[in-house]
Amino acid sequence: MASAHPLPASITIRRPDDWHVHLRDGVMLAACAEHTARQFGRAIIMPNLVPPVTKVAEASAYRERIRAAVPKELKFEPLMTCYLTDGADPAELTRGKEEGVWVAAKLYPAHATTNSAHGVTSMDRVAKGLEAMEKAGMPLLVHGEVTDPEVDIFDREAVFLDKVLAPLLRRHEGLKIVLEHITTREGVAFVEANPGRMGGTITPHHLSYNRNALFKGGIRPHFYCLPIAKREEHRLALRRAATSGGSQFFLGTDTAPHTTDTKECACGCAGVFNAPVAMQVYTQVFAEEGALAHLEAFASLNGPRFYGLPVNEETVTLHAKPLDIPDVVAVPGGGKDITVFRPDTPVDWSF
Ligand code: NCD
Ligand code: ZN
């Protein structure tokens, strides 16, 4: 939808944060950290490393590796999360929160997505951990897809809401929950039906394209991520939610780097690497919807409010100037690279 009003030449907002990021480790971390840190003041760091981050000491050590990978001149705070496994230790959750290491814990249903083999097989098996989180005021971040292979891949989010998330909300009445990377209108409606208890993150790529993009002119692996993009009606629901100004929705890029060779192959990995272009694409979406006035709430205010953290004091400015997107980001050593997300439509905003 084009705005009836002329667009400004620039927009200045408080420095945004990214509430869902995969920074990986080793050479991938070295390649990616800077791109997130250039755009965002803080980021919620996903714990799906191999092996996953389940212990306070592991998270502290990973946080140090992230800090070391960020160029010195950038101010960036990694916010760490605990990967929940069956039998997750309530004491480890409580202690990590008290020590200022855990900000939240992440629930991956076992085998739902990349590096989720150690994920949770039944909610009963994390009930004690979730009770500890309720008491500690630690939010639960949810990958909201069922893993039953009988359920169609495009229905897995909607089925998860009914089968898993609704009972979870009833069972743990004090738990705050983020439905991560929402991809359906049902997901939007579910979050909206639980004000005060739920938030939802929305990625730039799910705002930009629908499932047709995966197959436009041939199979296009760089548009493949989980949860997979859905029909156009769902993309439009996400755009309405993100740009509405509603306080429950906030920015989470789900930037998920995989090397180009592991995406362009017979069984390619799920994940879109959008870190270098994230704010530019979000701004494009808000401009197209005539909602630039709500960009700051989505990108910089709603997330901190949900997590009970202060907003950033610095500001950033985006200019109405066509974005030049690099094809790839190089991975140090070994000659590999990561393909950067390139929407099919032009991005007219840059830093
Ligand atoms: C993520 C990854 O690669 O770690 N992949 C993705 O498609 N989003 C995992 C996830 O967030 O599901
Ligand atoms: Zn993710």
Side-chain angles (χ1 to χ4, degrees), residues 126-187:
V126 281
K128 291 269 180 302
L130 298 183
E131 280 165 23
M133 288 171 58
E134 264 183 272
K135 289 204 189 88
M138 186 172 161
L140 177 71
L141 316 183
V142 175
H143 182 107
E145 289 191 287
V146 291
T147 53
D148 180 352
E150 303 281 298
V151 178
D152 189 278
I153 185 169
F154 295 101
D155 297 333
R156 286 179 192 167
E157 181 171 294
V159 172
F160 182 90
L161 303 173
D162 289 344
K163 292 262 164 63
V164 184
L165 200 48
L168 194 72
L169 275 163
R170 285 195 295 271
R171 185 168 174 175
H172 299 278
E173 287 189 332
L175 193 62
K176 287 186 86 174
I177 300 179
V178 182
L179 183 60
E180 301 278 79
H181 40 51
I182 307 173
T183 62
T184 58
R185 66 179 159 74
E186 290 88 347

Side-chain angles (χ1 to χ4, degrees), residues 3-350:
S3 166
H5 305 288
L7 289 170
S10 67
I11 174 169
T12 298
I13 60 171
R14 272 180 197 267
R15 188 160 163 78
D17 303 300
D18 187 344
W19 302 96
H20 184 133
V21 171
H22 301 269
L23 283 186
R24 314 299 191 206
D25 213 342
V27 289
M28 291 293 273
L29 173 62
C32 298
E34 166 178 359
H35 295 283
T36 291
R38 281 207 183 284
Q39 301 219 346
F40 301 104
R42 295 167 288 195
I44 285 271
I45 310 298
M46 287 294 129
N48 62 333
L49 301 182
V50 185
V53 180
T54 59
K55 298 276 192 298
V56 181
E58 292 164 355
S60 299
Y62 184 31
R63 186 166 62 180
E64 285 317 306
R65 295 198 295 283
I66 294 169
R67 286 179 176 150
V70 170
K72 297 269 170 300
E73 72 274 15
L74 300 176
K75 189 165 160 255
F76 177 71
E77 194 184 347
L79 306 174
M80 308 313 287
T81 59
C82 177
Y83 183 115
L84 290 181
T85 56
D86 283 353
D89 181 5
E92 192 73 6
L93 286 159
T94 309
R95 188 169 67 82
K97 174 75 163 78
E98 280 168 1
E99 291 180 6
V101 178
W102 306 133
V103 171
K106 177 74 192 237
L107 174 76
Y108 289 103
H111 306 291
T113 184
T114 308
N115 302 339
S116 61
H118 299 277
V120 171
T121 60
S122 118
M123 291 308 133
D124 291 343
R125 299 195 170 155
V126 281
K128 291 269 180 302
L130 298 183
E131 280 165 23
M133 288 171 58
E134 264 183 272
K135 289 204 189 88
M138 186 172 161
L140 177 71
L141 316 183
V142 175
H143 182 107
E145 289 191 287
V146 291
T147 53
D148 180 352
E150 303 281 298
V151 178
D152 189 278
I153 185 169
F154 295 101
D155 297 333
R156 286 179 192 167
E157 181 171 294
V159 172
F160 182 90
L161 303 173
D162 289 344
K163 292 262 164 63
V164 184
L165 200 48
L168 194 72
L169 275 163
R170 285 195 295 271
R171 185 168 174 175
H172 299 278
E173 287 189 332
L175 193 62
K176 287 186 86 174
I177 300 179
V178 182
L179 183 60
E180 301 278 79
H181 40 51
I182 307 173
T183 62
T184 58
R185 66 179 159 74
E186 290 88 347
V188 169
F190 195 97
V191 169
E192 284 174 336
N194 291 282
R197 291 201 57 191
M198 284 199 67
T201 57
I202 304 179
T203 78
H205 45 288
H206 288 109
L207 293 169
S208 298
Y209 63 84
N210 64 34
R211 64 189 192 178
N212 293 325
L214 277 97
F215 309 108
K216 192 169 148 191
I219 190 152
R220 300 200 299 166
H222 299 296
F223 290 79
Y224 173 55
C225 70
L226 289 171
I228 198 162
K230 310 294 192 300
R231 286 177 182 276
E232 178 65 358
E233 64 172 294
H234 298 290
R235 186 183 76 103
L236 295 178
L238 298 175
R239 285 172 78 102
R240 274 194 297 276
T243 63
S244 65
S247 65
Q248 286 178 277
F249 298 99
F250 40 89
L251 187 158
T253 63
D254 194 20
T255 181
H258 294 274
T259 55
T260 301
D261 59 312
T262 61
K263 294 209 39 99
E264 296 177 359
C265 58
C267 190
C269 295
V272 170
F273 176 56
N274 59 32
V277 300
M279 273 313 297
Q280 301 91 317
V281 173
Y282 280 121
T283 307
Q284 176 75 27
V285 169
F286 278 71
E288 286 169 1
E289 296 291 331
L292 284 174
H294 292 156
L295 180 64
E296 185 176 50
F298 177 77
S300 318
L301 307 179
N302 296 346
R305 188 180 304 123
F306 183 90
Y307 281 89
L309 294 170
V311 296
N312 294 321
E313 287 303 327
E314 309 82 21
T315 59
V316 297
T317 299
L318 286 115
H319 301 275
K321 159 175 105 184
L323 177 64
D324 194 12
I325 303 177
D327 288 338
V328 295
V329 162
V331 179
K336 301 218 174 190
D337 60 33
I338 308 161
T339 298
V340 178
F341 173 51
R342 178 183 298 278
D344 283 332
T345 45
V347 180
D348 299 320
W349 293 86
S350 323

